[in-house]
């Protein structure tokens, strides 16, 4: 998508060049393009599906993928959750608006994006195993990658090593 700054830069350039005529038209979808193939793939996804940029690497180069995803986000057809992670929103019939993405699916997408292996730990594991009904404030995962925190919708995705996890609580 074009930012306001880029738009103003284009207008300024056009004024400097002093074109006699300019034909301006909005984006229009064309069948068979890489963007159309991406949109078709997204349209066929179930509502609530979370995907990453590399899920479309068989269709287009990264720059084209990012431009298409940016446009689809501006059109509210998809939602950007974190950098490089998107979802096809699931809507609540009761609220009439999109519901938050499933945090465990977001964690899986983060792991896929970074090529990590993850396992839920602590209260996160208890909740996912239905051994606890309390919702985790911090979604905790053991990973084979470096320590990293992510914030999404009041959730932190924290990556810990095994030694730190053992020190968290004797109950876990």
């Amino acid at each position: 998508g074009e930012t306001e700054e880029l738009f103003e830069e284009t207008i300024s350039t056009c004024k400097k060049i002093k074109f006699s005529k300019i034909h301006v038209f909005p984006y229009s979808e064309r069948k068979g393009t890489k963007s159309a193939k991406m949109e078709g793939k997204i349209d066929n996804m179930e509502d609530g599906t979370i995907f990453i940029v590399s899920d479309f690497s068989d269709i287009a180069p990264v720059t084209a993928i990012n431009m298409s995803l940016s446009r689809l986000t501006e059109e509210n057809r998809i939602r950007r959750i974190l950098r490089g992670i998107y979802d096809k929103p699931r809507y609540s019939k009761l609220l009439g608006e999109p519901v938050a993405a499933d945090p465990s699916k977001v964690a899986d997408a983060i792991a896929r994006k970074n090529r990590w292996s993850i396992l839920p730990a602590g209260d996160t594991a208890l909740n996912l195993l239905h051994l606890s009904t309390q919702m985790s404030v911090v979604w905790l995962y053991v990973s084979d990658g470096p320590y990293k925190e992510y914030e999404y919708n009041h959730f932190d995705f924290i990556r810990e090593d095994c030694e730190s996890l053992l020190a968290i609580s004797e109950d876990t």
Side-chain angles (χ1 to χ4, degrees):
E2 185 178 41
T3 64
E4 189 66 32
E5 183 179 313
L6 288 173
F7 174 76
E8 292 300 330
E9 185 179 317
T10 301
I11 296 297
S12 174
T13 302
C14 289
K15 286 179 180 178
K16 285 179 189 172
I17 294 174
K18 298 181 181 179
F19 291 110
S20 59
K21 291 182 182 179
I22 296 177
H23 179 73
V24 180
F25 57 94
Y27 169 82
S28 59
E29 192 174 310
R30 286 185 262 157
K31 292 180 180 178
T33 63
K34 293 175 182 179
S35 180
K37 287 179 186 175
M38 281 181 55
E39 289 179 40
K41 192 172 182 176
I42 291 169
D43 289 342
N44 289 327
M45 292 177 179
E46 200 173 298
D47 290 352
T49 299
I50 296 177
F51 49 92
I52 59 177
V53 172
S54 64
D55 290 341
F56 303 99
S57 61
D58 60 323
I59 297 175
V62 172
T63 52
I65 295 168
N66 285 331
M67 286 190 329
S68 291
L69 293 176
S70 178
R71 182 179 50 76
L72 292 171
T73 301
E74 287 175 13
E75 293 172 1
N76 292 320
R77 291 177 59 190
I78 63 173
R79 180 172 50 184
R80 181 179 180 264
I81 295 173
L82 293 166
R83 185 175 183 195
I85 301 175
Y86 300 83
D87 79 339
K88 180 179 179 184
R90 185 171 54 88
Y91 286 84
S92 164
K93 291 178 185 175
L94 176 67
L95 300 175
E97 60 184 44
V99 297
D102 180 337
S104 63
K105 289 182 181 179
V106 173
D108 288 340
I110 290 169
R112 280 190 312 117
K113 178 184 172 202
N114 293 297
R115 297 183 179 163
W116 297 332
S117 296
I118 62 171
L119 289 172
D123 292 338
T124 302
L126 293 174
N127 185 270
L128 293 173
L129 291 169
H130 304 287
L131 298 174
S132 172
T133 56
Q134 293 182 350
M135 291 300 296
S136 297
V137 174
V138 176
W139 289 75
L140 187 63
Y141 289 85
V142 178
S143 169
D144 59 357
Y147 175 87
K148 193 149 186 179
E149 292 184 19
Y150 292 89
E151 281 196 35
Y152 165 70
N153 202 23
H154 307 290
F155 293 98
D156 290 337
F157 295 90
I158 301 174
R159 307 189 63 253
E160 296 277 355
D161 62 344
C162 292
E163 292 85 26
S164 330
L165 284 173
L166 293 174
I168 290 175
S169 165
E170 291 180 18
D171 295 334
T172 54

